[in-house]
């Protein structure tokens, strides 16, 4: 793949597909990690005299403008971090976008409105995506793909547009791929994987693939209750995917056959309801009350997980251990993050909620080997799937 160093960008309009899909509370950005991750590529292009046109998505609007998902607050924060004004186009590939892009001077930056306000961005119809990609191509001279969090999507600005312009891979995507290769090509062992989050169904493919590569898999979060139920435990009102029980039993049996250690919690924090002020207590996994739900791994499990990570040389973590946004149920995720820091392993935090948790709980990002910007993309890479956005840049 060509990098931005291979492009002559001086005086050229460079369309940068970035990942600026940040969490918002109204118009307040609660975690600007993805914006900061996009800065190196944008600044590298600016310093070489490029006219930088940034495009990104935010949330999942229904292919039409929706003020709740406007990138206007992101433009303001991007400008603060860059130390320069960022021109904002009020539409994605229409009259405003054309005017803003035409008016850019060398070294300046513009941000287009949410690409998902266009139905063609996420369309499954090649022609509809292509029509939008044609309009994007009219805005720029060159294309740089730097949205790792979206490379697993066959979307117009990720997959179709690179075929219409001279293109290169951005620094962020290049780094992400290099890091993930370390997890799939002869990782240093023991290789431990920590999976959390709400649904086991979101992780089926990666579990299936990791059973052939990882030495041990630690499981927490809401998805663990399907595993505990598959072992014959009652889980009260905890999150449970009954349609995945047979699949999970199969994974447990296969892991035993292949010598992969599956580590499950031995206790959980069980609450009367999904609320920070709910009555809650630490209980063993075989003693969860029928009227309570597990919202975090318990203190004994935190110690167990730390022990299982202590000798690891490579660790991949995707998904929080509990509802870390509520302080009574943040202890498991906090302890897990600390265990990664305390280990001598090469540690990769697999994007999404895990990366948000690291920042929300006050950890120094530099204490981890790598914090990914793409949760879904990281998982699909580890599943061995082709990533359309990467294929388009080759």
């Amino acid at each position: 793949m060509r990098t931005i160093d291979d492009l002559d960008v001086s005086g050229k309009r460079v369309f940068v597909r970035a990942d600026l899909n940040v969490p918002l509370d109204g118009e307040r950005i609660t975690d600007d990690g993805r914006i900061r991750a996009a800065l190196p590529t944008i600044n590298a292009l600016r310093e070489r005299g490029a006219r930088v046109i940034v495009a990104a998505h935010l949330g999942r609007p229904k292919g039409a403008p929706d003020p709740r998902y406007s990138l206007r607050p992101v433009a303001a924060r991007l400008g603060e971090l860059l130390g320069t004004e960022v021109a904002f186009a009020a539409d994605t590939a229409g009259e405003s976008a054309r005017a803003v892009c035409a008016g850019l001077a060398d070294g300046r930056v513009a941000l287009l409105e949410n690409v998902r306000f266009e139905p063609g961005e996420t369309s499954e119809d090649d022609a509809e995506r292509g029509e939008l990609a044609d309009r994007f191509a009219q805005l720029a001279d060159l294309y740089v793909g730097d949205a790792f969090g979206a490379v697993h999507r066959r979307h117009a600005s990720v997959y179709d547009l690179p075929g219409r312009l001279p293109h290169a891979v951005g620094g962020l995507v290049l780094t992400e791929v290099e890091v993930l290769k370390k997890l799939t090509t002869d990782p240093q062992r023991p290789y431990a994987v920590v999976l959390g989050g709400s649904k086991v169904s979101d992780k089926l493919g990666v579990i299936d693939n990791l059973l052939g590569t990882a030495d041990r898999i630690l499981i927490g979060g809401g998805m663990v209750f399907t595993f505990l139920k598959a072992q014959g435990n009652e889980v009260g009102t905890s999150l449970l995917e009954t349609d995945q029980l047979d699949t999970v039993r199969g994974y447990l049996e296969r892991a035993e056959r292949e010598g992969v250690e599956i580590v499950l919690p031995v206790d959980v924090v069980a609450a009367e309801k999904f609320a920070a002020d709910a009555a809650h207590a630490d209980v063993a996994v075989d003693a969860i009350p029928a009227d309570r739900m597990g919202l975090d791994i318990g203190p004994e499990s935190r110690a167990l997980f730390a022990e299982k990570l202590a000798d690891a040389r490579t660790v991949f973590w995707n998904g929080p251990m509990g509802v870390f946004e509520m302080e009574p149920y943040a202890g498991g995720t906090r302890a897990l993050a600390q265990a990664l820091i305390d280990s001598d392993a090469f540690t990769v935090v697999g994007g999404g909620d895990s990366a948000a948790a690291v920042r929300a709980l006050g950890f120094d990002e530099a204490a981890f080997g790598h914090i990914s910007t793409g949760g879904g993309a990281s998982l699909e890479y580890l599943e061995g799937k082709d990533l359309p956005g990467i294929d388009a840049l080759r």
Side-chain angles (χ1 to χ4, degrees):
M1 289 187 288
R2 284 180 298 183
T3 71
I4 59 175
D5 292 335
D6 299 317
L7 298 178
D8 177 12
V9 301
S10 180
K12 303 287 182 61
R13 298 168 301 159
V14 182
F15 189 108
V16 178
R17 179 54 162 99
D19 180 9
L20 307 179
N21 187 25
V22 295
L24 289 175
D25 181 5
E27 293 191 357
R28 184 177 69 88
I29 296 169
T30 58
D31 179 5
D32 66 0
R34 281 179 168 155
I35 303 176
R36 288 186 285 111
L39 297 179
T41 293
I42 294 172
N43 275 323
L45 292 168
R46 289 180 62 213
E47 290 166 4
R48 291 169 55 196
R51 305 175 183 190
V52 184
I53 303 162
V54 183
H57 73 276
L58 181 66
R60 295 186 176 182
K62 305 296 185 181
D66 184 332
R68 294 176 300 170
Y69 300 109
S70 174
L71 283 171
R72 192 175 292 276
V74 175
R77 181 57 179 154
L78 179 60
E80 290 174 0
L81 292 169
L82 290 172
T84 186
E85 181 182 0
V86 171
F88 183 68
D91 58 28
T92 303
E95 184 177 344
S96 177
R98 289 191 293 271
V100 167
C101 294
L104 274 182
D106 294 357
R108 306 296 290 183
V109 180
L111 177 63
L112 306 179
E113 185 54 285
N114 193 337
V115 293
R116 292 188 181 175
F117 285 0
E118 290 273 357
E121 171 66 9
T122 60
S123 175
E124 295 184 5
D125 182 83
D126 292 350
E128 189 174 11
R129 287 199 322 275
E131 187 276 331
L132 176 58
D134 288 340
R135 286 192 281 138
F136 281 143
Q138 293 170 9
L139 302 175
D141 306 301
L142 304 168
Y143 176 91
V144 172
D146 209 33
F148 182 72
V151 293
H152 58 313
R153 306 296 189 191
R154 193 178 293 267
H155 290 174
S157 65
V158 176
Y159 176 75
D160 299 271
L161 181 55
R164 287 160 167 80
L165 293 172
H167 54 268
V169 62
L172 175 62
V173 168
L174 201 60
T175 298
E176 296 272 15
V177 171
E178 288 174 352
V179 167
L180 290 173
K181 280 183 180 177
K182 292 182 180 181
L183 302 181
T184 55
T185 306
D186 195 25
Q188 292 190 52
R189 298 184 181 279
Y191 174 24
V193 175
V194 186
L195 298 177
S198 57
K199 293 183 177 181
V200 70
S201 55
D202 292 340
K203 307 285 198 307
L204 291 177
V206 75
I207 294 172
D208 187 65
N209 212 39
L210 287 169
L211 285 173
T213 57
D215 297 303
R216 64 183 69 121
I217 302 175
L218 289 64
I219 298 176
M223 64 182 285
V224 79
F225 296 101
T226 303
F227 279 83
L228 294 174
K229 182 70 171 179
Q231 289 186 324
N233 296 295
E234 294 303 322
V235 297
T237 59
S238 305
L239 188 63
L240 177 65
E241 291 181 272
T242 55
D243 60 329
Q244 301 298 337
L245 287 171
D246 287 341
T247 301
V248 166
R249 290 189 190 101
Y251 286 153
L252 291 171
E253 292 168 2
R254 181 179 157 200
E256 187 172 359
R257 287 196 309 271
E258 299 189 9
V260 178
E261 185 180 9
I262 301 286
V263 183
L264 301 177
V266 293
D267 63 341
V268 299
V269 180
E272 288 185 343
K273 59 181 179 179
F274 189 84
D277 60 355
H280 58 276
D282 302 325
V283 300
V285 294
D286 60 358
I288 300 174
D291 61 348
R292 292 206 174 196
M293 61 177 63
L295 296 180
D296 194 13
I297 61 172
E300 292 184 24
S301 302
R302 298 165 200 172
L304 172 64
F305 280 24
E307 177 188 334
K308 293 295 183 179
L309 295 172
D311 68 338
R313 300 299 297 166
T314 305
V315 180
F316 173 74
W317 170 32
N318 182 282
M321 298 294 97
V323 188
F324 72 91
E325 299 90 344
M326 301 180 189
E327 181 54 36
Y329 320 118
T333 303
R334 185 180 289 113
L336 191 283
Q338 188 62 54
L340 264 65
I341 293 172
D342 292 342
S343 76
D344 292 326
F346 172 64
T347 55
V348 178
V349 181
D353 288 341
S354 307
V358 163
R359 291 187 281 265
L361 297 175
F363 289 97
D364 180 1
E365 294 182 49
F368 301 88
H370 178 70
I371 296 182
S372 178
T373 56
S378 296
L379 289 175
E380 292 202 13
Y381 188 98
L382 293 183
E383 285 180 45
K385 289 184 177 180
D386 287 334
L387 303 179
I390 299 294
D391 292 342
L393 296 171
R394 294 194 190 283

